């Protein structure tokens, strides 16, 4: 895979917040302060269903500021509380379907075409049951929604009973969904490392395998994270760029890979602590974005 020569058009950014009265405008300001030209956000807290009304999100002002600062694309991440794979608690599954429907509408209202979704956890019911339940939920949602939004299933590290620890599990979801043209993949570098895919020593081979199973064109967004854990640990603990077992060289290679020139690349690396403090109060994104663009 070829490396890019022109770095100005690399789509690189990070996860930012959305809060206060400014809401989306605050998100755009934060992203611009890091030198990002794309960013990702939640439409509300990822751990609960409390959401402001769409008219309160300050979308138009946010986009005006974003465009002025060279940001023309955003990614939305669905909240963690959505678990389409749950067959054990019907109320959890029903909440997941209902809330995913709302998140698609909110994503479209925010003028994003990508909604990243953790496939879900089967809660010890088994992979087949979990995948079947995810397929059922996605069909319920997508068959009655015509918004121009892709559901990007995230590659997972495989901790606990997570679905999506292998490319084949994601492909099984694709195979069962009626409107599979509405599906895409979010490729998380930390997660694939922790799932056992060696992108450090076998970069080309891993992406060739993904291409064979699903297709490289299905990757709609990358989460660019180093990993605190060794290959195949199934832990999912992000590290700052160059501070983990994946390392700077591999992540730099991905960011500059011409194959993925048009794919947004989002940093989700941990915030840093001030000296002699245990509180993580310093965002690393400005420095990491600059370093990765070198």
């Amino acid at each position: 895979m070829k490396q890019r020569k022109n770095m100005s058009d690399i789509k690189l950014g990070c996860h930012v917040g959305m809060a206060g009265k400014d809401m989306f405008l605050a998100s755009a300001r934060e992203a611009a302060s890091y030198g990002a030209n794309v960013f990702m956000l939640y439409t509300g807290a990822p751990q609960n269903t409390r959401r402001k009304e769409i008219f309160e999100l300050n979308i138009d002002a946010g986009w005006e500021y974003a465009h002025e600062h060279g940001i023309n694309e955003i990614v939305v991440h669905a909240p963690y509380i959505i678990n389409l794979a749950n067959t054990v608690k019907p109320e959890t599954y029903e909440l997941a379907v209902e809330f995913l429907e709302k998140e698609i509408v909110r994503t479209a209202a925010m003028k994003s075409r990508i909604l990243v979704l953790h496939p879900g956890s089967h809660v010890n019911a088994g992979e087949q049951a979990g995948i079947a339940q995810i397929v059922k939920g996605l069909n319920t949602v997508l068959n009655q929604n015509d918004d121009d939004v892709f559901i990007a299933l995230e590659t997972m590290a495989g901790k606990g009973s997570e679905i999506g620890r292998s490319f084949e599990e994601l492909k099984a979801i694709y195979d069962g969904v009626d409107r599979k043209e509405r599906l895409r993949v979010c490729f998380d570098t930390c997660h694939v490392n922790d799932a056992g895919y060696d992108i450090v020593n076998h970069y080309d081979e891993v992406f060739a395998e993904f291409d064979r199973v699903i297709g490289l064109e299905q990757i709609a967004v990358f989460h660019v994270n180093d990993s605190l854990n060794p290959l195949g640990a199934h832990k999912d603990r992000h590290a700052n760029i160059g501070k983990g077992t994946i390392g700077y060289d591999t992540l730099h290679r991905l960011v500059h890979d011409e194959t993925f020139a048009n794919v947004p690349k989002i940093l989700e690396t941990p915030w840093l602590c001030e000296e002699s403090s245990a509180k993580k109060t310093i965002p690393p994104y400005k420095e990491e974005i600059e370093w990765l663009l070198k």
Side-chain angles (χ1 to χ4, degrees), residues 5-110:
K5 296 178 180 179
N6 183 4
M7 293 179 287
S8 63
D9 56 354
I10 292 175
K11 295 181 179 181
L12 183 61
C14 56
H15 198 148
V16 299
M18 183 169 68
K21 291 184 179 179
D22 285 340
M23 295 302 286
F24 184 58
L25 175 57
S27 305
R29 284 173 175 157
E30 182 183 356
S33 75
Y34 302 142
N37 59 11
V38 64
F39 62 88
M40 184 173 74
L41 48 69
Y42 295 108
T43 72
Q47 306 91 348
N48 61 53
T49 60
R50 292 193 296 273
R51 293 291 183 270
K52 287 193 175 184
E53 296 294 333
I54 289 173
F55 71 85
E56 298 180 275
L57 300 183
N58 208 14
I59 294 171
D60 290 341
W63 270 116
E64 182 178 357
Y65 186 93
H67 291 319
E68 289 172 355
H69 291 80
I71 300 170
N72 298 304
E73 187 172 359
I74 66 166
V75 176
V76 175
H77 199 305
Y80 304 136
I81 56 170
I82 294 178
N83 184 9
L84 290 177
N86 196 318
T87 61
V88 178
K89 292 185 177 180
E91 63 273 18
T92 299
Y93 168 77
E94 290 164 7
L95 171 67
V97 169
E98 178 185 351
F99 208 69
L100 181 57
E101 291 172 341
K102 293 179 179 178
E103 284 293 282
I104 292 175
V105 172
R106 291 168 71 83
T107 299
M110 296 198 72

Side-chain angles (χ1 to χ4, degrees), residues 12-17 30-31 33-36 224-226 238-243 248 266-274 279-293:
L12 183 61
C14 56
H15 198 148
V16 299
E30 182 183 356
S33 75
Y34 302 142
V224 180
N225 301 302
D226 216 324
H238 297 184
N240 291 98
I241 304 301
K243 301 295 184 182
Y248 173 80
I266 303 293
L267 297 168
E268 298 179 306
T269 48
W271 281 33
L272 306 173
C273 302
E274 292 185 19
K279 291 186 176 181
K280 295 185 176 182
T281 57
I282 304 173
Y285 304 125
K286 187 175 191 298
E287 290 73 21
E288 290 185 341
I289 288 171
E290 290 176 353
W291 195 27
L292 284 168
L293 288 177

Side-chain angles (χ1 to χ4, degrees), residues 53-274:
E53 296 294 333
I54 289 173
F55 71 85
E56 298 180 275
L57 300 183
N58 208 14
I59 294 171
D60 290 341
W63 270 116
E64 182 178 357
Y65 186 93
H67 291 319
E68 289 172 355
H69 291 80
I71 300 170
N72 298 304
E73 187 172 359
I74 66 166
V75 176
V76 175
H77 199 305
Y80 304 136
I81 56 170
I82 294 178
N83 184 9
L84 290 177
N86 196 318
T87 61
V88 178
K89 292 185 177 180
E91 63 273 18
T92 299
Y93 168 77
E94 290 164 7
L95 171 67
V97 169
E98 178 185 351
F99 208 69
L100 181 57
E101 291 172 341
K102 293 179 179 178
E103 284 293 282
I104 292 175
V105 172
R106 291 168 71 83
T107 299
M110 296 198 72
K111 303 175 185 178
S112 171
R113 296 194 66 202
I114 304 171
L115 177 61
V116 175
L117 176 69
H118 289 187
S121 297
H122 60 73
V123 200
N124 297 321
E127 288 82 3
Q128 288 188 342
I131 289 170
Q133 191 79 328
I134 294 168
V135 167
K136 176 184 173 184
L138 288 173
N139 280 334
T140 298
V141 172
L142 294 177
N143 287 343
Q144 62 188 19
N145 176 278
D146 291 318
D147 284 310
D148 193 16
V149 173
F150 297 113
I151 303 294
L153 302 170
E154 187 164 344
T155 57
M156 304 306 292
K159 67 181 188 296
S161 58
E162 286 179 337
I163 300 291
R165 68 183 67 199
S166 70
F167 302 155
E168 285 78 10
E169 286 188 356
L170 295 181
K171 177 61 162 54
I173 297 172
Y174 265 77
D175 288 345
V177 169
D178 298 332
R179 301 184 65 184
K180 49 182 61 65
E181 74 278 2
R182 292 281 301 278
L183 296 182
R184 292 294 186 272
V185 172
C186 170
F187 191 107
D188 187 303
T189 56
C190 171
H191 294 177
V192 297
N193 172 84
D194 287 20
Y197 292 99
D198 189 356
I199 60 172
V200 176
N201 299 300
H202 299 283
Y203 181 96
D204 288 327
E205 292 89 341
V206 169
F207 281 108
E209 181 177 353
F210 185 94
D211 192 32
R212 176 182 61 80
V213 177
I214 299 177
L216 292 178
E217 74 284 352
Q218 293 300 306
I219 300 177
V221 57
F222 283 98
H223 286 170
V224 180
N225 301 302
D226 216 324
S227 175
L228 287 175
N229 297 289
L231 181 71
H234 302 297
K235 293 286 188 181
D236 185 12
R237 293 183 64 204
H238 297 184
N240 291 98
I241 304 301
K243 301 295 184 182
T245 58
I246 300 174
Y248 173 80
D249 290 344
T250 297
L251 298 175
H252 181 272
R253 179 180 182 180
L254 174 62
V255 166
H256 291 259
D257 194 327
E258 285 191 350
T259 306
F260 308 116
N262 295 316
V263 180
K265 299 161 188 77
I266 303 293
L267 297 168
E268 298 179 306
T269 48
W271 281 33
L272 306 173
C273 302
E274 292 185 19

